[in-house]
Amino acid sequence: MLKEILAISGKSGLFKFISSSPKIVIVESLADKKRTQVRTDAKVISLGDIAIYTDEEEIPLSKVLNQMKENAGGKPTINHKESDEKIREVFEKALPNYDRDRVYLSDMRKVVLWYNQLCENNMLDFTEEEENETSSAE
C-alpha cells in the first residue's frame, strides 16, 4: 500500500498514485481527494521507498509508522506543528535508536504528518509490506 502513496516536492500532503503516462503522473490528494497532474520530471517519491536511519541500519518507514500506530492505539498522534520536544518524544517512542546526526526535526515532523494523514484515511495496514521485507531479507 505504501508504494502507491507519494510525497511530491513542492506540494504539501500525501498523494495516491492513480495512473501515469510518459510525461505525466496523475495523483489524488489524500486531504481533499482532488486529482491533479504532476510532470514526471518533478521530484516524486513513494513512501514505500523511504527508510529512516538508525545507529545500526536503515528501518523502512512502514515499521516506524506501525510502531507509531501501536503507540497511539491506532488513532492520530500529536499535530506535526507541536513543540520540538513533543515531536522528538513521539518519534523517539517509535524509533528510539534513530541516528541523531542524520535524522532532522523536519524529517520527524514529516513522519508525524504522514502518519496522521494515513490514519485519517484508514491507510495504516502495512502487514503486506513487512511480510515482503521479511521474506526478501531471508
Side-chain angles (χ1 to χ4, degrees):
M1 178 193 297
L2 271 186
K3 287 276 183 203
E4 297 176 5
I5 306 300
L6 309 172
I8 302 170
S9 182
K11 295 188 179 279
S12 63
L14 294 174
F15 299 84
K16 182 177 180 182
F17 173 82
I18 302 298
S19 70
S20 66
S21 69
K23 293 185 180 185
I24 293 175
V25 177
I26 299 173
V27 296
E28 180 179 273
S29 169
L30 291 186
D32 60 15
K33 306 296 184 223
K34 289 185 180 176
R35 290 188 178 187
T36 188
Q37 298 178 354
V38 179
R39 293 174 42 117
T40 53
D41 61 354
K43 186 175 179 185
V44 177
I45 188 162
S46 164
L47 295 193
D49 294 335
I50 296 176
I52 308 293
Y53 295 113
T54 69
D55 295 330
E56 297 85 36
E57 60 185 332
E58 293 181 20
I59 301 293
L61 180 62
S62 61
K63 288 188 178 190
V64 178
L65 293 172
N66 265 340
Q67 189 58 51
M68 288 180 79
K69 177 183 173 184
E70 191 175 305
N71 295 346
K75 295 184 167 121
T77 188
I78 64 171
N79 188 296
H80 69 284
K81 294 181 180 178
E82 286 284 349
S83 70
D84 297 354
E85 296 80 32
K86 287 183 180 180
I87 294 293
R88 278 194 187 91
E89 183 180 313
V90 166
F91 194 83
E92 266 184 41
K93 263 187 170 176
L95 192 63
N97 63 334
Y98 74 92
D99 187 328
R100 277 135 179 90
D101 293 329
R102 297 195 289 180
V103 178
Y104 302 107
L105 185 61
S106 60
D107 300 324
M108 295 177 206
R109 287 187 187 283
K110 273 187 210 170
V111 171
V112 169
L113 172 65
W114 293 345
Y115 169 81
N116 285 331
Q117 285 186 329
L118 292 168
C119 187
E120 289 167 11
N121 286 276
N122 198 26
M123 301 175 94
L124 287 175
D125 183 16
F126 310 123
T127 50
E128 184 179 310
E129 277 104 347
E130 289 193 358
E131 287 170 6
N132 289 341
E133 289 161 10
T134 303
S135 63
S136 65
E138 293 173 355

